[in-house]
Amino acid sequence: MAYRVIQWATGAMGKAVLRTVIDHPGVELAGVYVYSDAKAGRDAGELAGRPPTGVLATRDVDEILALDADVVVHAGRIGPYGCHDEDFARILAAGKNLITINGYSHPAYWPQTRTQKLRDACEAGGATLLGAGLNPGFVAEQLAAVASGVCASVDHIQITEAADASQVRDPRYLFETLGFGADPAACDPNDPSWGPSVSLNGMYEETLAALACRLGFALDQVETDHVLHPAPADLELPAGVITAGTVSHANWRWHGIAGGRRRLTMSIHWYVETSHLDDPHPPLWAVAVTGHPGVNLTVDLVKHPDDKSRMSAEQYAVAGQVINAIPYVVAAPPGLLTRPIATPARDDYVTFTPPAG
Ligand SMILES: NC(=O)c1ccc[n+]([C@@H]2O[C@H](COP(=O)([O-])OP(=O)(O)OC[C@H]3O[C@@H](n4cnc5c(N)ncnc54)[C@H](OP(=O)(O)O)[C@@H]3O)[C@@H](O)[C@H]2O)c1
């Protein structure tokens, strides 16, 4: 039996998931929720660059929640962390398992007051919530944790990500959510009330908390030393113009503190030009474990040689993470699920039943 999937939001990531759902033999598309009027009523195949599926996109939440489906994959744009909790609670209470690509790696990090509503919704609907994705989702919660498995002791783990945001098409996401185009002299990225920090800090704090939990310690706090870099010249991008002197590269840095020292660092370079990078062709990820012994990994994702689409390997990798997580979220008891340390791709996907719990 194929898992029946509803795709919620069809931006770059949602579209990659939608394609993968249409293409994958172990899953079947049940419905598509979109935010934009222009996409409502269109066939999912058309949105995904695939033949017609007979599934039409809708903006009607009630219509979506009435569908028979095993799981909803939520790929909506992030806002202040937790801003989709109301929608999540509705989906879960309607009896749909839910995978989000916007955090929720380790909900136990948050106080009960934040998570209780989601727990209640899971209980009411007999459903499970799971975070998936690359970062958050994979590089810290799974890859770095696995890398530490050869160390008798770990002093510190740094994860460095380099993400080219120049092809982002949604101006609101690029400028408001990620802070590109802001005047570096007029904003302080280490002020937690700055818009992009409100969206990103909580999500990556939780990611570090998830890794700390895997390593057997708890974080006392997370501190930031985010840095904004200015554009050397005007830049014309699909989402709009970044003028010289405004933010063209942000190095977001979160440090997980435990026992009075930095034990974990997440350093993400989001950039639309490379003049402030040490290496103009950085790997997607570098994981540096300092310990006994240390481990250094660099990781790049590579598109399938037959794939001539404009979609990136990263977009397909998010989709792969989601697809491989579906059997786990469906098998789990109701509640907030923490990802298993590995969710490999499986040839026996269709018949595979992961252990519950
Ligand atoms: N975990 C990971 O590794 C990972 C990796 C990349 C991105 N992400 C997250 O995935 C999210 C989507 O990324 P993307 O690259 O697909 O973005 P995108 O291409 O800019 O697409 C924006 C998406 O937001 C939807 N949207 C429009 N209005 C919205 C609203 N009011 N509330 C919520 N969503 C709204 C759009 O819906 P329509 O369907 O109507 O277009 C579209 O699907 C981002 O927030 C990002 O944080 C996670």
Side-chain angles (χ1 to χ4, degrees):
M1 283 278 285
Y3 297 103
R4 285 178 55 78
V5 176
I6 292 167
Q7 178 56 40
W8 186 296
T10 57
M13 296 300 155
K15 208 180 288 177
V17 178
L18 187 56
R19 273 189 184 190
T20 308
V21 166
I22 292 170
D23 293 348
H24 195 287
V27 291
E28 184 185 313
L29 185 65
V32 178
Y33 177 82
V34 289
Y35 289 87
S36 86
D37 287 329
K39 290 181 177 175
R42 288 168 64 188
D43 190 282
E46 187 197 341
L47 295 177
R50 291 291 184 264
T53 59
V55 175
L56 303 184
T58 180
R59 298 207 59 215
D60 184 335
V61 174
D62 291 330
E63 195 183 309
I64 280 287
L65 296 184
L67 293 170
D68 172 27
D70 297 296
V71 60
V72 173
V73 177
H74 193 290
R77 181 176 59 210
I78 45 167
Y81 193 42
C83 71
H84 294 306
D85 281 5
E86 291 289 328
D87 282 342
F88 288 5
R90 242 179 120 181
I91 293 165
L92 292 161
K96 311 278 186 287
N97 297 300
L98 174 61
I99 295 176
T100 168
I101 64 166
N102 281 316
Y104 300 80
S105 304
H106 188 54
Y109 179 68
W110 301 112
Q112 190 85 344
T113 43
R114 159 134 190 236
T115 51
Q116 193 57 49
K117 195 166 183 186
L118 292 171
R119 287 180 208 281
D120 290 346
C122 290
E123 208 51 51
T128 306
L129 170 64
L130 176 67
L134 301 183
N135 190 17
F138 175 66
V139 65
E141 297 89 330
Q142 295 186 310
L143 190 61
V146 169
S148 77
V150 298
C151 308
S153 63
V154 172
D155 298 327
H156 180 254
I157 298 182
Q158 169 148 342
I159 295 148
T160 306
E161 175 172 307
D164 181 350
S166 62
Q167 296 312 305
V168 168
R169 291 181 173 271
D170 180 353
R172 199 163 147 187
Y173 183 45
L174 193 73
F175 295 108
E176 280 182 35
T177 308
L178 298 182
F180 285 93
D183 177 358
C187 52
D188 175 5
N190 294 298
D191 171 355
S193 67
W194 187 48
S197 306
V198 174
S199 297
L200 299 173
N201 281 350
M203 194 162 72
Y204 287 103
E205 256 185 54
E206 185 178 334
T207 299
L208 290 185
L211 176 55
C213 180
R214 287 253 139 98
L215 300 177
F217 62 88
L219 297 180
D220 300 329
Q221 66 174 110
V222 174
E223 61 186 29
T224 68
D225 64 316
H226 308 318
V227 181
L228 302 176
H229 296 291
D234 288 358
L235 302 164
E236 286 201 23
L237 304 170
V241 176
I242 289 182
T243 51
T246 67
V247 174
S248 61
H249 175 161
N251 183 201
W252 295 88
R253 289 168 59 88
W254 295 270
H255 304 282
I257 312 294
R261 64 194 176 93
R262 291 179 175 180
R263 298 292 309 280
L264 303 174
T265 296
M266 173 66 74
S267 169
I268 303 181
H269 295 268
W270 265 305
Y271 58 90
V272 295
E273 53 81 27
T274 58
S275 66
H276 302 282
L277 284 172
D278 294 338
D279 171 0
H281 303 290
L284 174 61
W285 294 310
V287 177
V289 184
T290 312
H292 184 59
V295 183
N296 286 331
L297 299 176
T298 57
V299 181
D300 277 309
L301 301 172
V302 184
K303 272 183 82 164
H304 191 283
D306 295 343
D307 180 11
K308 306 295 180 224
S309 76
R310 282 171 40 201
M311 305 202 75
S312 67
E314 288 79 5
Q315 288 159 359
Y316 282 122
V318 168
Q321 270 277 296
V322 165
I323 292 291
N324 294 327
I326 289 173
Y328 293 88
V329 76
V330 171
L336 309 181
L337 181 64
T338 297
R339 292 171 76 67
I341 199 160
T343 45
R346 301 185 63 108
D347 277 10
D348 64 349
Y349 184 91
V350 179
T351 53
F352 167 65
T353 308

